[in-house]
Amino acid sequence: MSHLSERIKEVELRIEQACRRAGRSKEEIKVIAVTKYVSTETTLAAVKLGLAHLGENRWQNARGKWEALDREAEQGIIYRPTWHYIGSLQTNKAKDVVGKFTYIHSLDRLSLAQAIDKQAAQLGIIVPCFIQVNVSGEDSKHGLEPDQLFTFVEELAQFSSIKPIGLMTMAPYEAEAEETRPVFRALRELRDALNERAQAANSINTVTELSMGMSNDFEVAIEEGATWIRLGTVLIGKEEE
Ligand SMILES: *Cc1c(COP(=O)(O)O)cnc(C)c1O
């Protein structure tokens, strides 16, 4: 536990330093604690230490933790965390995730938008979503091609229970974090271009958020404009199964 609180402090310091280099305020950066490598106990400890946003990439693995923390929150033992679904999402799993995970970071196709929208409408909620873009072009990465983005956003307008709030990407793993910079910069430029188009069309549908940066490269992502960083290993650690 004390180990965890030290890690949290260390990461906060690194965030502050990156913000200083970039001339940003640290309030602009929100941290999602990615708990996919750790137990329910560790997840609970993280929430008790004040981490309010949790990320998971598979419902099957997240379910036990989600349910345990839901019980603790119901009993008033912890503040209810805000869950972020950050992994690729099968269309038939949308009904499991919508309503439990406040944010979805992996919206990358219309069939998924339709499934999310349907479930959200049934629950009477609006789901804030990040559109995942495959900036690096790696085959292994999910996400839209950058040149599909503008059309995709226009098509999303038909789904009234989805609110696109930003873009998400994963950079390739690089031994030198600096090499991820062009990927993060490109995502920021895509967001800005999207907003210029919206403004030119007198649309109020601007997207502000950038979900980018992981343990290996979050400082570079902050320097390039990240507003949400997704941290697993460096923040929460990795436990053996
Ligand atoms: C696992 C994961 C993370 C966190 O990974 P770390 O490198 O451990 O920080 C972030 N984003 C996504 C989409 C992930 O799947």
Side-chain angles (χ1 to χ4, degrees):
M1 181 103 151
S2 67
H3 217 75
L4 188 54
S5 66
E6 274 161 33
R7 254 207 299 263
I8 294 172
K9 280 206 199 95
E10 175 73 26
V11 166
E12 276 172 1
L13 195 67
R14 288 174 61 183
I15 291 172
E16 276 174 35
Q17 287 165 344
C19 281
R20 205 167 306 140
R21 286 195 295 276
R24 303 183 65 195
S25 137
K26 70 179 194 308
E27 282 70 35
E28 292 172 39
I29 320 297
K30 282 148 294 191
V31 175
I32 299 167
V34 177
T35 52
K36 69 185 183 199
Y37 302 123
V38 301
S39 64
T40 299
E41 287 65 38
T42 305
T43 304
L44 200 51
V47 173
K48 286 180 176 165
L49 286 169
L51 295 173
H53 293 275
L54 303 182
E56 283 277 340
N57 68 340
R58 299 188 60 166
W59 170 239
Q60 292 95 308
N61 297 345
R63 183 177 186 157
K65 285 172 216 168
W66 190 93
E67 288 172 349
L69 269 66
D70 184 56
R71 280 194 298 274
E72 301 275 322
E74 282 297 318
Q75 292 167 23
I77 298 167
I78 55 166
Y79 285 110
R80 185 176 292 282
T82 300
W83 291 86
H84 295 250
Y85 195 87
I86 61 173
S88 70
L89 184 55
Q90 283 173 269
T91 304
N92 63 3
K93 295 276 161 48
K95 61 181 183 317
D96 297 325
V97 164
V98 173
K100 298 188 179 73
F101 287 73
T102 305
Y103 295 88
I104 294 177
H105 288 243
S106 49
L107 179 57
D108 63 355
R109 57 197 192 280
L110 286 176
S111 58
L112 179 59
Q114 192 164 27
I116 294 169
D117 187 69
K118 186 173 168 210
Q119 183 67 13
Q122 264 171 27
L123 297 172
I125 60 174
I126 289 176
V127 182
C129 291
F130 293 81
I131 300 162
Q132 185 170 353
V133 186
N134 185 0
V135 175
S136 69
E138 280 182 297
D139 287 345
S140 60
K141 296 274 189 289
H142 291 269
L144 289 172
E145 303 297 320
D147 62 7
Q148 299 174 320
L149 179 64
F150 296 152
T151 312
F152 184 72
V153 171
E154 280 165 17
E155 287 170 330
L156 279 184
Q158 67 188 288
F159 301 110
S160 54
S161 300
I162 288 181
K163 180 174 168 52
I165 60 164
L167 305 180
M168 180 273 216
T169 202
M170 287 175 79
Y173 179 84
E174 301 285 357
E176 287 295 328
E178 186 57 37
E179 291 181 11
T180 59
R181 190 179 296 279
V183 171
F184 297 141
R185 183 170 296 170
L187 195 72
R188 167 163 52 83
E189 288 171 353
L190 278 172
R191 179 200 61 186
D192 295 345
L194 201 56
N195 288 334
E196 271 167 33
R197 277 171 65 102
Q199 263 173 356
N202 275 324
S203 161
I204 52 157
N205 293 323
T206 52
V207 301
T208 52
E209 306 302 310
L210 290 173
S211 167
M212 58 188 198
M214 304 173 30
S215 290
N216 187 52
D217 52 27
F218 69 93
E219 287 145 310
V220 179
I222 289 171
E223 289 168 15
E224 292 301 327
T227 61
W228 294 88
I229 55 177
R230 309 179 308 266
L231 302 180
T233 321
V234 75
L235 181 66
I236 304 295
K238 215 170 193 170
E239 293 165 354
E240 298 300 320
E241 289 284 296

